């Protein structure tokens, strides 16, 4: 008998984003992203899989349960967020060279890749990319200042969609798994979005 003692989570790490460069018709293009941005602003990430289970019956009994995940929602609590990046995620009109941003009109929100880091007690890590995401909503609350400083955090809700024909929505590596790439660093994994095993190999050894 094997006795397993998995590592416990210690903290959430950095947040990574990279806007997708769409096709000429404005569709998601899994081959092209802009430069990755990194922010150390995360307080908490809550993840919800939007899924449904269908029971297949045959010969008067349950034959199999088929689970399908349509999307993944992540509520990301942050202490601050880059206003230019948030405006772009919202689909706001930032075309005015004088700095005026127009917001609230119906707009097609751009796709972007979202990356997150989970750090574990004992030095373990999990690195994850969600290659096809859109901003669903964001809070913008503010309260008066008091005699002592208090955090005034906001939450952005990000929805991850399927990025390939196999309906996959997330790619990740975990240092506790047997095939975790030797020597893989956070910087290598998040240099640009990873969608395939070839992307991972290229991140570890550029030029492959």
């Amino acid at each position: 008998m094997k006795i397993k003692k998995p590592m416990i989570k210690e903290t959430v790490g950095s947040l990574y984003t990279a806007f997708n460069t769409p096709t000429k018709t404005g569709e998601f293009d899994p081959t092209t992203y802009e430069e990755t941005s990194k922010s150390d602003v995360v307080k908490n990430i809550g993840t919800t899989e939007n899924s449904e289970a269908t029971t297949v019956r045959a010969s008067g009994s349950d034959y199999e349960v088929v689970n399908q995940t349509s999307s993944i929602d992540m509520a990301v609590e942050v202490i601050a967020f880059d206003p230019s990046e948030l405006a772009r995620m919202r689909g706001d009109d930032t075309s005015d060279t004088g700095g005026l941003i127009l917001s609230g009109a119906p707009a097609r929100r751009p796709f972007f890749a979202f990356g997150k880091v989970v750090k574990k007690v004992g030095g373990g890590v999990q690195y994850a990319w969600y290659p096809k995401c859109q901003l669903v909503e964001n809070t913008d609350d503010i309260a008066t200042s008091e005699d002592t400083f208090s955090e005034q955090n906001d939450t952005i809700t990000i929805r991850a969609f399927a990025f390939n024909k196999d309906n996959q929505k997330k790619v990740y590596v975990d240092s506790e798994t047997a095939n975790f790439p030797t020597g893989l660093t956070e910087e290598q994994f998040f240099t640009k979005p990873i969608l395939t095993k070839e992307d991972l190999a290229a991140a570890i050894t550029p030029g492959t």
Side-chain angles (χ1 to χ4, degrees):
M1 177 186 296
K2 290 184 177 180
I3 305 298
K4 295 189 175 183
K5 188 178 180 181
M7 294 180 177
I8 61 176
K9 297 175 184 177
E10 181 178 14
T11 184
V12 63
S14 300
L15 175 156
Y16 294 86
T17 55
F19 282 96
N20 183 252
T21 303
T23 64
K24 292 182 179 179
T25 58
E27 301 301 320
F28 172 76
D29 184 352
T31 65
T32 311
Y33 289 87
E34 297 178 14
E35 184 179 10
T36 300
S37 297
K38 175 183 178 181
S39 299
D40 294 323
V41 296
V42 186
K43 293 286 288 186
N44 178 68
I45 299 179
T47 302
T48 303
E49 291 191 355
N50 302 309
S51 60
E52 61 179 24
T54 302
T55 302
V56 179
R57 292 182 58 82
S59 300
S61 62
D62 293 346
Y63 181 77
E64 187 173 359
V65 177
V66 179
N67 292 286
Q68 292 182 316
T69 302
S70 60
S71 61
I72 300 173
D73 285 357
M74 289 163 285
V76 185
E77 183 185 357
V78 294
I79 58 172
F81 202 80
D82 181 78
S84 297
E85 190 165 288
L86 181 60
R88 189 173 177 186
M89 288 179 176
R90 287 170 49 85
D92 292 344
D93 184 353
T94 60
S95 60
D96 178 45
T97 57
L100 185 68
I101 299 174
L102 302 177
S103 180
R108 186 172 187 177
R109 296 185 171 184
F111 288 110
F112 57 91
F114 173 74
K116 70 175 184 179
V117 177
V118 175
K119 297 182 180 180
K120 306 179 185 184
V121 174
V125 293
Q126 184 185 103
Y127 304 143
W129 272 115
Y130 298 82
K132 185 180 180 181
C133 297
Q134 281 183 316
L135 179 70
V136 176
E137 63 183 7
N138 66 281
T139 62
D140 189 16
D141 299 331
I142 187 68
T144 188
S145 60
E146 302 291 347
D147 292 336
T148 57
F149 177 79
S150 62
E151 294 180 6
Q152 299 195 39
N153 301 335
D154 286 315
T155 299
I156 58 172
T157 302
I158 295 169
R159 180 165 294 165
F161 300 95
F163 63 87
N164 61 16
K165 61 181 179 60
D166 295 321
N167 206 35
Q168 291 158 336
K169 301 160 188 69
K170 172 185 176 181
V171 297
Y172 70 99
V173 293
D174 194 303
S175 62
E176 291 189 80
T177 60
N179 294 325
F180 182 77
T182 302
L184 176 67
T185 66
E186 179 177 332
E187 182 179 3
Q188 288 173 327
F189 189 82
F190 290 106
T191 297
K192 63 179 181 179
I194 291 175
L195 285 73
T196 65
K197 61 182 180 180
E198 290 79 14
D199 291 342
L200 179 59
I204 300 170
T205 309
T208 59

